[in-house]
Amino acid sequence: MIFTRLRAIAASASLVTLVALTGCGASEVVEDSADAVGQGDTRYPLVIENCGQTVEIERAPQRVVSLDQNSTEILLSLGLAGRIVGTASWTDPILPSLADENEGVPRLSDNAPTYEVVLGADPDFVTASFGRHYNEGGVVTRDRLAETSVGSYLSPTDCDNGISVNGGGTRTEPLQVEALYQEIQELADIFDVADRGAALIADLQERATAATEGVDLGGRSAVFWFADTKTPYTAGGFGSASLLAELTGMTNVFADTADDWPAVGWESVVDADPSILVLGDLQRDRFPGDRLDDKIAFLTADPLTRTLSAVQRADFIALHGAEMNPSIRFVDALEKIRTWALEHQDEGEG
């Protein structure tokens, strides 16, 4: 059902509306970095409806700040390293295949930067995966950026009916991977590398189809634990991690929760006694238990969590944080789940 739509989207040349107001694999970098001119396919001014805002781009941005790892890796995959003047909010190391491209890109902050730091990079465009950066009290509002003639963009994966989910809204329907593909093609059009966007989407679709072919975990129950040992953040039913469960035949224990990452009590996890624990391996130290080893140490030592069947069997699937968030790394997550599933194909619910 989902992948029928995924294959169909590759045939689309663009997912944005190009308006003339006057008369570029998830794990592979597109060859040849885009120059300042681009491919010459985008007609400027370009107008895009972006999560409740109308964004008008007069010319291809030359100095972009990416406020999240997810958007950074899309830009790098499109061959735009030379235009990135700053990145921030990293949960994991860069994809190995993007390491060379990323080497010369300034990191403004491992977490969210201040507005002054962003301003110091002198951007003409700012992208974000999560709308909290654009909230009052976040990095900077989109209105304030507009006042200084700096364009802004928010990933459609964080948008529901024109409202940012991570900016204070709530999902009303499950996230679909088409929103990620829309982000890729829109950014490709904004930077005038439309062909590269289409090629990246096609590569992701091919890998996702291969990763899910023949994989069905038969409805085995699962909890996706992102971070925090005290009050764990686990995957709700409408976000990206629950989409991974759907695509591989798992049943998300907290599928009836609309929040992307609701904080739950360990008692509710133990009561559910999931068959599989999908553990976030975050290479940061923002919350207790960000890293995989710390999560496993907690699970096996805590008097409550060590009673879990999945803990006793060590039925753990480890995913990077970026693989659990909406990003091009969703295919890496599907490939890891496939490997685990094939290794445990003879096991039942247990």
Side-chain angles (χ1 to χ4, degrees):
M1 175 179 68
I2 292 176
F3 279 100
T4 300
R5 296 198 300 271
L6 303 194
R7 287 189 290 269
I9 200 171
S12 174
S14 174
L15 294 175
V16 302
T17 302
L18 304 183
V19 180
L21 301 180
T22 60
C24 171
S27 298
E28 297 180 6
V29 182
V30 180
E31 301 290 333
D32 300 332
S33 294
D35 58 24
V37 177
Q39 296 173 335
D41 294 328
T42 299
R43 297 175 60 193
Y44 298 101
L46 170 67
V47 176
I48 295 174
E49 296 303 320
N50 179 233
C51 204
Q53 295 201 15
T54 300
V55 178
E56 182 173 327
I57 298 96
E58 296 291 338
R59 62 190 61 84
Q62 302 300 304
R63 300 180 58 83
V64 58
V65 165
S66 169
L67 296 177
D68 290 292
Q69 179 173 358
N70 305 334
S71 59
T72 298
E73 292 187 336
I74 290 175
L75 295 172
L76 291 173
S77 296
L78 294 174
L80 297 168
R83 301 201 211 176
I84 306 174
V85 295
T87 70
S89 301
W90 289 75
T91 60
D92 308 289
I94 187 72
L95 274 167
S97 57
L98 296 174
D100 289 344
E101 287 284 296
N102 185 60
E103 188 173 346
V105 175
R107 182 173 297 197
L108 304 182
S109 173
D110 289 339
N111 296 307
T114 64
Y115 173 58
E116 289 73 20
V117 169
V118 172
L119 191 65
D122 190 26
D124 60 5
F125 199 73
V126 175
T127 67
S129 301
F130 302 114
R132 62 177 177 268
H133 295 308
Y134 292 140
N135 280 357
E136 292 286 352
V139 177
V140 58
T141 65
R142 300 183 76 175
D143 287 343
R144 188 173 185 184
L145 287 171
E147 289 170 0
T148 55
S149 300
V150 176
S152 63
Y153 180 84
L154 176 63
S155 170
T157 63
D158 190 43
C159 191
D160 188 288
N161 291 319
I163 300 173
S164 166
V165 174
N166 282 272
T170 301
R171 292 196 193 276
T172 59
E173 54 188 25
L175 175 69
Q176 300 294 331
V177 76
E178 286 91 342
L180 172 66
Y181 295 157
Q182 178 183 347
E183 176 181 12
I184 293 169
Q185 196 64 64
E186 287 182 340
L187 287 174
D189 285 334
I190 288 169
F191 287 89
D192 193 18
V193 288
D195 288 352
R196 298 177 182 186
L200 178 56
I201 291 170
D203 178 66
L204 291 169
Q205 291 175 322
E206 182 179 356
R207 288 180 60 196
T209 299
T212 54
E213 185 176 1
V215 174
D216 185 355
L217 284 162
R220 292 181 65 179
S221 58
V223 166
F224 290 74
W225 176 21
F226 192 80
D228 204 339
T229 56
K230 296 178 181 178
T231 308
Y233 290 94
T234 61
F238 286 1
S240 55
S242 204
L243 176 60
L244 297 176
E246 179 184 350
L247 294 175
T248 55
M250 287 186 277
T251 299
N252 179 9
V253 164
F254 298 109
D256 60 349
T257 306
D259 292 344
D260 278 11
W261 294 105
V264 302
W266 281 115
E267 292 80 3
S268 61
V269 176
V270 172
D271 287 345
D273 196 21
S275 175
I276 302 168
L277 287 171
V278 184
L279 307 179
D281 185 12
L282 283 61
Q283 301 302 300
R284 65 177 195 185
D285 295 296
R286 182 179 176 189
F287 291 104
D290 270 349
R291 297 173 184 264
L292 176 64
D293 289 347
D294 294 335
K295 281 184 171 71
I296 294 175
F298 172 83
L299 289 169
T300 55
D302 182 82
L304 189 61
T305 59
R306 69 187 183 193
T307 66
L308 286 163
S309 301
V311 173
Q312 294 173 2
R313 295 192 306 268
D315 275 347
F316 306 137
I317 301 176
L319 300 179
H320 287 304
E323 294 166 353
M324 299 171 81
N325 279 325
S327 77
I328 57 175
R329 292 201 189 196
F330 86 96
V331 291
D332 299 85
L334 291 175
E335 288 165 353
K336 289 180 179 180
I337 294 171
R338 176 185 181 83
T339 297
W340 188 93
L342 294 177
E343 291 174 350
H344 296 75
Q345 59 186 349
D346 295 328
E347 297 179 11
E349 180 71 18

